[in-house]
Amino acid sequence: MSGTDGHGTPGGGFDGGGAGDARLEEELRQAAAVLDPVPVELRQLALDAYAFHDLDARLAELTFDSLVDGLPVRGVSEAPRLLTFRAGELTVDVEVTADGLIGQVLPPQRARIEVLGGPRTVRPVSVDALGRFTGEQPPAGPFALRLSTGTEVIVTEWLRA
């Protein structure tokens, strides 16, 4: 056994991807699947989120979230959540309240917004000529917005309500 690491690798080094490594990786995957399985609900949410994936859509980056970036206001216990998304020159400001969504697309323009939610949930929201929109139902759980302007489709990052 002189000159090996006990696993047949000369000089005690790492062999970098041999059959033994592949077998060990598979055994670790099987052990993880048994000892710490991915919850069925989480797997389904991941599949549903991917199903909403639109290859032609641009991703709108979250540039402001009042839960992270906002300053606390004295005397206000249930302040609405304010979100700002940006995709190039287009900005979407959204206020999430217990009563639903209120927002505006800037620069102002007509568009169609869909609130994407849990398993196969899509709620359309109309946008007027000034870019304003309201949604009657607050999002529950993970959600994203898909904005169609007629010339392009923009999808926001997924957030938890």
Side-chain angles (χ1 to χ4, degrees):
M1 193 152 104
S2 159
T4 68
D5 64 357
H7 297 287
T9 304
F14 179 70
D15 70 356
D21 289 341
R23 188 172 54 247
L24 176 61
E25 180 181 352
E26 183 57 32
E27 288 175 10
L28 290 172
R29 286 182 191 276
Q30 290 175 1
V34 171
L35 299 173
D36 190 20
V38 175
V40 174
E41 299 84 14
L42 182 59
R43 183 183 303 269
Q44 188 60 48
L45 278 174
L47 291 172
D48 290 339
Y50 185 76
F52 284 128
H53 181 73
D54 191 341
L55 294 177
D56 294 331
R58 288 186 5 197
L59 182 65
E61 178 185 3
L62 179 65
T63 59
F64 179 82
D65 184 346
S66 62
L67 289 181
V68 177
D69 305 315
L71 297 173
V73 178
R74 187 185 336 192
V76 178
S77 60
E78 292 293 323
R81 184 175 184 186
L82 305 174
L83 304 166
T84 300
F85 299 96
R86 184 175 305 265
E89 299 298 315
L90 189 91
T91 300
V92 181
D93 290 320
V94 182
E95 181 176 322
V96 181
T97 69
D99 298 324
L101 300 175
I102 302 169
Q104 185 169 19
V105 176
L106 297 170
Q109 58 188 286
R110 286 200 177 276
R112 185 176 53 126
I113 292 180
E114 296 172 321
V115 181
L116 309 176
R120 297 181 181 87
T121 303
V122 176
R123 293 189 318 258
V125 176
S126 61
V127 181
D128 67 15
L130 297 175
R132 301 174 300 191
F133 61 91
T134 58
E136 301 294 322
Q137 214 173 19
F143 75 98
L145 302 176
R146 181 186 300 141
L147 176 90
S148 301
T149 65
T151 58
E152 65 182 337
V153 176
I154 298 169
V155 178
T156 68
E157 296 180 31
W158 282 83
L159 298 170
R160 185 162 284 287

